[in-house]
Amino acid sequence: MSYKPADEINENGTGFIKNVAIDTVIFGFHDNLLKVLLSAYKNTNYFALPGGFIREMENLYDAARRVASERTGLDDIYLEQFYVFGDYSRYEPEPFKVIMEVNGNKPSKSHWLLQRFISIGYYALVDFTKATPTPAAIFDSCNWYDLKNMPELIQDHSKIITKALEALRANLDHKVVGYNLLPESFTMGELQKLHETILAKKLLRPAFQRKMLSLCILERVAKKYSGGAHKAPYLYRFVSEV
Amino acid sequence: MSYKPADEINENGTGFIKNVAIDTVIFGFHDNLLKVLLSAYKNTNYFALPGGFIREMENLYDAARRVASERTGLDDIYLEQFYVFGDYSRYEPEPFKVIMEVNGNKPSKSHWLLQRFISIGYYALVDFTKATPTPAAIFDSCNWYDLKNMPELIQDHSKIITKALEALRANLDHKVVGYNLLPESFTMGELQKLHETILAKKLLRPAFQRKMLSLCILERVAKKYSGGAHKAPYLYRFVSEV
DNA sequence: CGCTATTGTAACATAATGATACAATAATAA
DNA sequence: TTATTATTGTATCATTATGTTACAATAGCG
């Protein structure tokens, strides 16, 4: 989880469920690179996944959406619950203690943020260009990092990202990926590049096109007369399911 | 979750993490029927999944194992975390209030068991014949029920079972299922019947055998000279992965 | 010693996927 | 205008996986 001083700073975390956090792995896509949104704590070397907590009367999924929306400015994004991280060894209050102290707070040992947390992992896929990374509060910054070039993260957050990527890859076959990662309309080549980036391997163009079209989730919009010296590709969009 | 009076009866649930429960969907297999283990609360009409809570210093997975082991008498069983149920609408304290009252307790409104719970779902597959269903405490009974013939369950427990079955079916392809569901050695026909029961559809024998053998997870042990008036089938066991 | 039920697997049919080839064409430059 | 170039859309074939039928092998039974 990440530290949100705005309203969670009070000693006993009134209004939130204790010992449970949501951690979001928000993937973005740019220049054929998968990016991930990370929060950095000011005045420390601590980097963490954007996280948050569940309000006492809030649906779990709504809480995940709220967290993702707060950090990206995007509503209506594809969110998937992928795993719960609940090892006791996750309990490492030291970083949070330091973060609070560095920022002028002196939490008691029983401060709710210094207790053990079970963390529910959600991943999201967003359009890199439409998202406006927003830090959770004055203490945070929030930025995109290449998946291949991340800073060291607190706790088990690296493992969480690995697990999220595994879940995302496993879902590429069944579920449609790209609703929020790609612009409204896109070429088959762009969709393929996205899949190639997520899977970290090259795909064969004819087979990919054949498969995508066989799923009946794409519809042709127009031709894209904009690019280079070659045949104009078709633009597609996801068919709206009604 | 289910109600365990033995040590969770105290008003504030000392030693347990609050607002988080584990619900287990324990599948057993018998007579080509999938069974599921259900707890019944004495003196009420309430049926529920075997559930439990996480001790303050206990790993989440260990807690799930403990719950499953306590209810089946089986250790070392295949357990898989499949989903977290966290809608606020799950909050229905009435059944638990009744259960406690019927059994001679008068919980206050702030009793920790009457609060909202986020429930982490695990499923397990056990050998029906080796399991000894054990109620959680004096107030409970614990029995196998056909998946097709279950009593009405409290809260969203029916949905939890549905979701568990979906996860189990989705995993049949990738993961090996049957370590704990089948005896030490078994015939290809028995394995096929198990798969057919889980998937609720017939499979073609040659294709099934070809596929299973291609996975290289089975080894032939011997022939089974015991059955009826026909060719003796081979016995297989899962290769120990080392 | 045949009969029966079931197994193990070969053999073929069909479908899915992998790989190659090539015509179509939008921009560019001669 | 026309040749050039890069890339797209798709046809075609190869390979692999899966679905289906067929049949020999054989343990128990009468």
Side-chain angles (χ1 to χ4, degrees):
Chain A
M1 92 230 133
S2 56
Y3 174 47
K4 297 177 55 182
D7 50 356
E8 294 104 339
I9 190 72
N10 65 88
E11 272 283 325
N12 48 11
T14 312
F16 290 96
I17 290 180
K18 312 305 179 297
N19 303 294
V20 183
I22 288 174
D23 277 316
T24 63
V25 183
I26 299 174
F27 292 112
F29 180 62
H30 192 61
D31 278 343
N32 297 334
L33 277 173
L34 260 195
K35 309 263 191 181
V36 67
L37 208 52
L38 295 179
S39 291
Y41 292 106
K42 260 185 195 167
N43 306 320
T44 71
N45 277 325
Y46 295 130
F47 288 83
L49 288 170
F53 309 100
I54 306 154
R55 297 191 199 281
E56 277 175 357
M57 298 180 67
E58 186 177 38
N59 288 334
L60 177 59
Y61 185 71
D62 293 337
R65 286 217 137 176
R66 176 174 50 77
V67 171
S69 163
E70 282 168 4
R71 300 312 169 89
T72 64
L74 295 169
D75 301 322
D76 199 38
I77 62 181
Y78 177 85
L79 258 176
E80 177 101 0
Q81 178 194 303
F82 65 93
Y83 202 67
V84 184
F85 301 86
D87 278 358
Y88 183 70
S89 62
R90 298 188 79 245
Y91 181 39
E92 286 176 12
E94 208 47 34
F96 295 103
K97 200 177 159 211
V98 169
I99 290 165
M100 284 193 264
E101 280 171 357
V102 160
N103 290 287
N105 299 294
K106 290 201 175 171
S108 76
K109 233 183 172 179
S110 64
H111 192 291
W112 76 298
L113 288 177
L114 301 184
Q115 307 309 305
R116 171 189 182 181
F117 273 88
I118 289 167
S119 186
I120 303 171
Y122 280 84
Y123 71 77
L125 296 163
V126 305
D127 183 345
F128 179 90
T129 61
K130 284 186 189 158
T132 52
T134 312
I138 45 164
F139 295 102
D140 293 331
S141 75
C142 207
N143 283 300
W144 293 105
Y145 289 83
D146 287 352
L147 215 53
K148 297 277 173 195
N149 191 21
M150 291 187 300
E152 199 181 326
L153 304 180
I154 63 166
Q155 288 185 348
D156 55 351
H157 286 202
S158 300
K159 273 188 195 166
I160 294 179
I161 292 176
T162 302
K163 192 96 181 173
L165 193 57
E166 281 171 13
L168 172 57
R169 283 174 179 164
N171 279 343
L172 259 196
D173 288 335
H174 334 285
K175 310 204 175 184
V176 188
V177 165
Y179 274 107
N180 304 288
L181 255 179
L182 292 171
E184 167 75 15
S185 64
F186 47 86
T187 67
M188 194 59 79
E190 287 166 347
L191 184 61
Q192 182 177 342
K193 287 245 169 75
L194 167 62
H195 278 241
E196 285 177 343
T197 302
I198 292 174
L199 295 172
K201 69 174 179 186
K202 287 274 166 202
L203 300 173
L204 289 163
R205 196 169 52 86
F208 180 80
Q209 171 134 343
R210 195 201 301 148
K211 183 126 191 189
M212 284 301 120
L213 293 181
S214 75
L215 294 175
C216 296
I217 52 165
L218 299 178
E219 64 182 346
R220 265 183 195 166
V221 180
K223 282 208 170 193
K224 189 185 181 184
Y225 294 91
S226 52
H230 55 74
K231 186 175 180 179
Y234 286 103
L235 285 171
Y236 294 87
R237 71 174 168 215
F238 293 109
V239 290
S240 49
E241 41 183 340
V242 172
Chain B
M1 90 229 135
S2 56
Y3 174 47
K4 298 176 56 183
D7 49 357
E8 293 105 338
I9 191 71
N10 65 87
E11 271 282 327
N12 47 13
T14 313
F16 290 96
I17 291 181
K18 312 305 178 299
N19 302 294
V20 182
I22 289 174
D23 277 316
T24 63
V25 183
I26 299 174
F27 292 112
F29 180 64
H30 192 62
D31 279 342
N32 296 334
L33 277 174
L34 261 194
K35 308 264 190 179
V36 67
L37 208 52
L38 294 178
S39 292
Y41 293 105
K42 259 184 194 164
N43 305 322
T44 72
N45 276 326
Y46 295 131
F47 288 83
L49 287 170
F53 309 101
I54 307 155
R55 296 189 199 281
E56 278 175 356
M57 298 180 67
E58 186 178 37
N59 288 334
L60 177 59
Y61 185 70
D62 293 337
R65 285 215 135 178
R66 175 174 51 77
V67 171
S69 162
E70 283 168 2
R71 300 312 168 89
T72 63
L74 293 170
D75 302 320
D76 199 39
I77 63 180
Y78 177 85
L79 257 176
E80 178 102 359
Q81 179 195 301
F82 65 94
Y83 202 68
V84 184
F85 302 85
D87 277 0
Y88 183 70
S89 62
R90 299 187 79 244
Y91 181 39
E92 286 176 12
E94 208 48 34
F96 295 104
K97 199 177 161 210
V98 170
I99 290 163
M100 285 193 265
E101 281 170 358
V102 161
N103 290 287
N105 299 293
K106 290 199 174 171
S108 77
K109 232 185 175 178
S110 64
H111 192 291
W112 76 298
L113 287 176
L114 300 184
Q115 306 311 304
R116 171 189 182 181
F117 273 88
I118 289 167
S119 186
I120 304 171
Y122 279 84
Y123 72 76
L125 296 163
V126 306
D127 182 344
F128 179 89
T129 61
K130 285 185 188 159
T132 52
T134 312
I138 44 164
F139 294 102
D140 294 330
S141 73
C142 208
N143 284 300
W144 293 106
Y145 289 83
D146 287 352
L147 215 52
K148 298 277 173 195
N149 191 20
M150 292 188 298
E152 199 181 326
L153 304 181
I154 63 165
Q155 287 184 348
D156 55 351
H157 286 202
S158 301
K159 274 188 195 167
I160 294 179
I161 293 176
T162 301
K163 191 96 181 174
L165 194 57
E166 281 171 13
L168 172 57
R169 283 175 179 163
N171 280 342
L172 260 196
D173 288 335
H174 333 285
K175 310 204 175 185
V176 187
V177 165
Y179 274 108
N180 304 287
L181 254 179
L182 291 171
E184 166 76 15
S185 64
F186 47 86
T187 68
M188 194 60 78
E190 287 166 348
L191 184 61
Q192 183 177 342
K193 287 247 169 75
L194 167 61
H195 278 241
E196 286 178 343
T197 303
I198 292 174
L199 296 173
K201 68 175 180 185
K202 286 274 167 205
L203 301 172
L204 289 164
R205 197 168 52 87
F208 181 79
Q209 170 134 342
R210 194 201 300 147
K211 183 126 193 189
M212 284 300 120
L213 294 180
S214 76
L215 294 176
C216 295
I217 52 165
L218 298 178
E219 63 182 346
R220 265 183 196 167
V221 180
K223 282 209 169 193
K224 190 185 179 184
Y225 295 92
S226 51
H230 55 74
K231 187 176 178 179
Y234 285 103
L235 285 171
Y236 294 86
R237 69 173 169 216
F238 293 110
V239 290
S240 49
E241 43 182 341
V242 172

